[in-house]
Amino acid sequence: MTSPEIASLSWGQMKVKGCSTTYKDCKVWPGGSRTWDWRETGTNHSPGVQPADLEEVVKKGVKTLVIGRGMSEALQVPLSTVEYLKKNGIDVVVLQTEKAVAEYNSLVAQGVKVGGVFHSTC
């Protein structure tokens, strides 16, 4: 199963190829995507992305996980979150969201089993 390509990104809006939903923030993995609702885990810009935000994507068996920190990189990614991914044998890429989407789509095109979490505003 392949990861879906991110079809478009603009401030506050993301489209995933093959999905009719427009996301503000989203999670993607091989074979699927859904809204990334920060309220589920109590996530805020600081301290930022928590392992609980990533568990669902990790359980899909990804080899690489791309984190988009927002258009202005306001979303933090603590070292503990990076260590959680590495402990699970997952390569992690943390970038500004436009760069993160480009990297994610490049990995999809290469056939990598990649997942991502992307913040599309600040």
Side-chain angles (χ1 to χ4, degrees):
M1 196 168 302
T2 60
S3 300
E5 184 182 324
I6 305 293
S8 67
L9 167 67
S10 59
W11 184 274
Q13 295 190 329
M14 296 185 72
K15 296 283 285 175
V16 175
K17 199 171 192 175
C19 178
S20 60
T21 305
T22 299
Y23 300 112
K24 177 178 170 270
D25 299 324
C26 77
K27 297 181 179 187
V28 289
W29 59 82
S33 65
R34 79 171 184 95
T35 294
W36 178 17
D37 182 350
W38 293 13
R39 291 173 297 195
E40 292 173 358
T41 56
T43 293
N44 286 298
H45 288 103
S46 180
V49 183
Q50 304 168 62
D53 292 309
L54 308 175
E55 284 175 359
E56 176 180 20
V57 178
V58 167
K59 287 178 181 170
K60 304 292 183 183
V62 298
K63 300 293 176 217
T64 303
L65 196 140
V66 180
I67 301 173
R69 293 189 48 212
M71 300 301 215
S72 304
E73 298 184 88
L75 180 61
Q76 301 300 302
V77 181
L79 185 59
S80 58
T81 298
V82 172
E83 288 170 348
Y84 160 77
L85 291 167
K86 289 184 175 176
K87 188 182 82 186
N88 282 282
I90 297 168
D91 293 328
V92 59
V93 180
V94 179
L95 295 166
Q96 184 267 358
T97 297
E98 290 161 310
K99 292 177 180 158
V101 165
E103 178 66 15
Y104 169 86
N105 281 341
S106 172
L107 291 167
V108 168
Q110 294 169 47
V112 174
K113 201 167 186 185
V114 61
V117 295
F118 302 100
H119 177 45
S120 74
T121 59
C122 43

